[in-house]
Amino acid sequence: MRAVCRRPCEVPQDWLVLSLSVQKEGVQAAVVQQQINAVLTAALVAATPSVKPGKIELSTGGMQVTPRYGRDGKINGWVGSTELVIEGTDFARISSAAAKAQTMAISNLSFGLSRVARAQLETQAQVLAIDGFKLKAAQIARGFGFADYGLREVSVQSADQQSGPVPRMMAMRTSAMAADAAPMPMEAGKSLVVVTVSGAVQLK
């Protein structure tokens, strides 16, 4: 006989990922690449002082320069883009760092769970699910007139879900933010981890 128990655990999201991007166009690929390199370098110089181990991480995303085609199907220019990602648990500091990188635009932001918070949440949900599974298996055994049960097989699975408000994508010039790099208002939602314990039990 099989028994299944699902237990959800929900916590506030504690990890923010904020992406900055820039796009340049020109008739020469080399010039376009130089332009986006210069913009990225300036943004790195401005944002790097805000980096704090364990609180804020800084990384560069993909950089690409692709041809732009005219109506005649021939290349008439080049388009280049690159990305800078600021992420961590200190939301105010991340917002301030993004405001200082005024050469790039905010293209997206998303919330999630840090590795530590995720591990703790999964452990908590797993304990609850296992306890619930054992209780249900014992109830099934008693319902059929047996005193106990034994496990023949068991499976533990976890799945992440998002609840609460979903942050929308943003596209604004960082220069439009306060010149004194005032933090941008933002609100995280919640993350939900659902652990499912299922297995075959043998009634005794």
Side-chain angles (χ1 to χ4, degrees):
M1 182 172 293
R2 298 194 65 83
V4 178
C5 183
R6 294 182 177 87
R7 285 293 184 271
C9 283
E10 185 181 64
V11 295
Q13 295 166 329
D14 68 339
W15 191 263
L16 169 64
V17 180
L18 195 153
S19 301
L20 307 176
S21 63
V22 64
Q23 180 174 300
K24 295 291 185 179
E25 297 185 22
V27 295
Q28 295 183 351
V31 174
V32 172
Q33 183 171 344
Q34 290 175 356
Q35 290 176 338
I36 59 178
N37 278 336
V39 170
L40 179 60
T41 299
L44 281 169
V45 170
T48 297
S50 297
V51 172
K52 190 175 182 181
K55 296 290 185 180
I56 296 184
E57 299 175 6
L58 197 64
S59 62
T60 55
M63 177 184 294
Q64 60 179 357
V65 178
T66 57
R68 182 186 61 199
Y69 295 92
R71 294 182 178 179
D72 57 1
K74 296 181 180 179
I75 296 176
N76 63 5
W78 297 84
V79 179
S81 63
T82 189
E83 186 180 54
L84 178 65
V85 179
I86 310 173
E87 57 186 323
T89 57
D90 192 332
F91 296 176
R93 196 177 181 92
I94 291 173
S95 174
S96 178
K100 293 174 182 176
Q102 296 184 15
T103 57
M104 302 184 76
I106 297 175
S107 57
N108 188 37
L109 67 84
S110 61
F111 294 94
L113 290 179
S114 63
R115 290 185 292 270
V116 173
R118 183 180 302 278
Q120 292 175 343
L121 187 60
E122 287 182 348
T123 299
Q124 180 183 354
Q126 182 173 298
V127 170
L128 292 175
I130 291 174
D131 288 344
F133 176 86
K134 292 191 292 186
L135 178 61
K136 180 172 289 188
Q139 290 174 341
I140 291 174
R142 290 194 299 270
F144 280 97
F146 290 85
D148 201 359
Y149 69 92
L151 288 177
R152 296 179 59 186
E153 63 178 71
V154 66
S155 172
V156 180
Q157 298 178 329
S158 65
D160 294 356
Q161 300 177 15
Q162 180 170 289
S163 62
V166 179
R168 61 186 174 87
M169 292 183 65
M170 304 186 67
M172 65 176 70
R173 296 299 306 175
T174 52
S175 57
M177 301 169 69
D180 58 355
M184 177 178 61
M186 59 185 70
E187 182 180 356
K190 293 184 178 181
S191 283
L192 182 71
V193 170
V194 179
V195 173
T196 301
V197 178
S198 60
V201 297
Q202 182 175 3
L203 305 181
K204 298 181 179 179

